[in-house]
Amino acid sequence: MMTQVSACNASLQFPCPHRTSSFPKQRFSRRQLFVDGVSSLCIRSESAPNGNNSSSNHVGSPQSSSPSFFRSGNEGDMNEVIRKKVAFATRRTLLSSLFIYYSWYHPSRYLSAYALGDSSVTVEQVTPAVLPSGPLFPTEERIAQLFEKNTYSVVNIFDVTLRPQLNVTGVVEIPEGNGSGVVWDKQGHIVTNYHVIGNSLSRNPSPGQVVARVNILASDGVQKNFEGKLVGADRAKDLAVLKVEAPEELLKPVSVGQSSSLKVGQQCLAIGNPFGFDHTLTVGVLSGLNRDIFSQTGVTIGGGIQTDAAINPGNSGGPLLDSRGNLIGINTAIFTQTGTSAGVGFAIPSATVTKIVPQLIQLGKVIRVGLNLVAAPDPVANQLNVRNGALILQIPGNSSASKAGLQPTTRGFAGNIILGDIIIAVDEKPE
């Protein structure tokens, strides 16, 4: 069975030739669309409902009481598709309207959504049982206790020269001067990274000057805000010490552990304030030891601890703890190409921290005593047949080693290597 659809011209002056009745002459605009009883749409079917071919059965004619668009001899009359007679100016708009009409209203293509309910059931019958959480596993309980204990020893630090700003979307932008720190003692000394307050330190503040705002968590869960005054800073090790005038009962010093006995694979925990969030915990393992840390201050720190515990901006200056809750490092850097944690974080070992921080508290700076020379690495010394001691490679001109008369390794006129002095002992202790 075939169905033909035809439309009259855009400008009508005579009745449609396919109508069974004539109508007064009308002239319509090309852009005008109308929906009324007198339509310029002409739809005819080549087969009558009874199966006889007829061209006089017109959908939309006055004689048709139930117009239809599709007919099937096997299934009977199809559902009514077009309920009103629509006249369009062009054949293109006619076909487009039929497509939209068919997509929107045909029951096989679109079904309305209805709110269904079942009054035979109660809310209690469709509410699942909520099971109690029960006790934590021993490992979970231990980690939770370590976090609850040490979270009071971790503070939030803001560089006073960098303020959080509210952007147009309503999101608070936390500047890079946001970081973490640890309570060192009951006197109010706070240890953090040099680069956390680096913007303030770049202005060469004097000791005792306020360079940061320090938030300390009280036992009631409220953050107490204090002024952080500069005590001392060491750019070479990316460490700084602040002091706050806080009540002694509010200060919970961190327990310091030994980093010299660490093993790769042992568990560690990092606590801090990443992205300005309040006290978060990440757990991982020690991935490596004696790593070179390329700090944000532009210096290289030796002997670093590598961990896969997630460390993000804001964790800097926070503690890296062992499974007993002792401080084994100060989180200071991450290796990433996106600015977020990639599972490669670094911490300054506690052995370095315990050497630098007491000097900063006592003197406000670090005094390093050394010969100021460059020794040959072991592989180079072995190639030069130096098995014992430290072979001197380079000595700066005005260094104490040069003044002491030590000689570096040089090359002769023929390009041969002339070995420098070899240090075999310091204070009668073998090197």
Side-chain angles (χ1 to χ4, degrees), residues 105-409:
Y105 295 106
H106 197 277
S108 65
R109 296 292 300 274
Y110 178 85
L111 293 176
S112 300
Y114 295 95
L116 301 179
D118 189 355
S119 58
S120 61
V121 299
T122 62
V123 175
E124 290 76 11
Q125 292 176 335
V126 295
T127 302
V130 179
L131 301 178
S133 58
L136 298 178
F137 290 105
T139 303
E140 296 175 324
E141 182 66 29
R142 178 176 55 83
I143 293 176
Q145 290 178 355
L146 289 176
F147 175 74
E148 293 175 359
K149 175 184 176 182
N150 290 278
T151 187
Y152 298 103
S153 302
V154 181
V155 301
N156 183 227
I157 297 177
F158 285 93
D159 191 318
V160 293
T161 61
L162 300 175
R163 304 285 185 179
Q165 297 179 352
L166 188 68
N167 61 19
V168 294
T169 61
V171 178
V172 176
E173 297 179 349
I174 304 297
E176 292 184 359
N178 171 59
S180 304
V182 295
V183 179
W184 188 256
D185 53 29
K186 286 287 188 177
Q187 286 71 43
H189 292 112
I190 307 296
V191 177
T192 186
N193 281 137
Y194 183 101
H195 72 264
V196 170
I197 55 174
N199 196 66
S200 290
L201 296 178
S202 64
R203 304 183 180 187
N204 298 320
S206 58
Q209 186 174 344
V210 177
V211 294
R213 305 292 299 181
V214 180
N215 294 330
I216 302 178
L217 181 64
S219 57
D220 56 359
V222 178
Q223 295 274 0
K224 305 293 185 179
N225 186 272
F226 300 92
E227 293 181 344
K229 299 178 181 180
L230 178 64
V231 174
D234 181 28
R235 184 173 179 270
K237 296 300 182 181
D238 197 11
L239 291 173
V241 177
L242 307 175
K243 188 174 183 179
V244 296
E245 300 296 333
E248 186 174 336
E249 61 273 10
L250 190 61
L251 300 171
K252 309 293 183 182
V254 67
S255 300
V256 182
Q258 294 182 351
S259 60
S260 57
S261 59
L262 298 177
K263 301 293 184 181
V264 174
Q266 75 177 71
Q267 193 177 56
C268 61
L269 302 87
I271 302 178
N273 296 267
F275 303 108
F277 293 110
D278 176 32
H279 290 93
T280 62
L281 169 70
T282 54
V283 181
V285 298
L286 299 184
S287 305
L289 301 173
N290 298 318
R291 296 288 195 257
D292 288 336
I293 303 174
F294 300 97
S295 173
Q296 294 187 28
T297 59
V299 298
T300 301
I301 306 172
I305 302 172
Q306 179 181 338
T307 177
D308 66 347
I311 297 176
N312 288 292
N315 276 112
S316 295
L320 184 67
L321 308 174
D322 62 11
S323 56
R324 292 179 175 84
N326 298 326
L327 175 74
I328 57 175
I330 297 294
N331 301 318
T332 186
I334 58 176
F335 179 82
T336 177
Q337 296 179 345
T338 61
T340 57
S341 175
V344 182
F346 300 97
I348 302 172
S350 60
T352 301
V353 178
T354 53
K355 291 179 181 179
I356 301 299
V357 171
Q359 293 188 58
L360 293 177
I361 295 175
Q362 182 182 12
L363 305 173
K365 60 181 180 179
V366 177
I367 299 177
R368 292 181 172 86
V369 179
L371 296 175
N372 193 17
L373 55 81
V374 178
D378 290 340
V380 176
N382 292 333
Q383 291 180 2
L384 297 175
N385 201 25
V386 177
R387 298 291 184 265
N388 298 318
L391 174 63
I392 300 177
L393 283 183
Q394 298 177 356
I395 297 178
N398 296 325
S399 64
S400 58
S402 177
K403 295 177 181 179
L406 298 179
Q407 298 297 321
T409 300

